[in-house]
Amino acid sequence: SVAVLPFVMLGDAPADRYFAEGLSAELHDALGGVRGLQVASWPDGGDDPATVGRRLGVGAVLHGSVQREGERLRI
């Protein structure tokens, strides 16, 4: 089982924030298609990943960030 946390956008551009939210949603959906894998989401980004994992009782927690560097994205 895995929990997918919302990705954090390291910047202020609204379009980039929208991209980060969409990326975590796409990963959640893609992992949800893996047979035998249970996927949970955690809408509140306030807790640390270890706390989220314990609360949800999952084996792994996916969290990340997105940062724009000119025309490139760092994920």
Side-chain angles (χ1 to χ4, degrees), residues 5 47-54 58 61-63:
L5 275 59
D47 291 327
D48 67 281
T51 300
V52 171
R54 282 192 302 275
V58 296
V61 177
L62 174 64
H63 65 104

Side-chain angles (χ1 to χ4, degrees), residues 6-70:
F7 276 41
V8 175
M9 185 62 214
L10 304 176
D12 296 327
D16 291 344
R17 192 168 313 281
Y18 178 76
F19 175 79
E21 291 171 4
L23 180 60
S24 59
E26 287 293 324
L27 284 169
H28 178 276
D29 293 346
L31 290 171
V34 175
R35 177 178 274 165
L37 182 63
Q38 294 179 335
V39 183
S41 59
W42 188 259
D44 179 38
D47 291 327
D48 67 281
T51 300
V52 171
R54 282 192 302 275
R55 285 186 182 173
L56 294 175
V58 296
V61 177
L62 174 64
H63 65 104
S65 62
V66 179
Q67 180 179 23
R68 180 174 296 279
E69 292 180 352

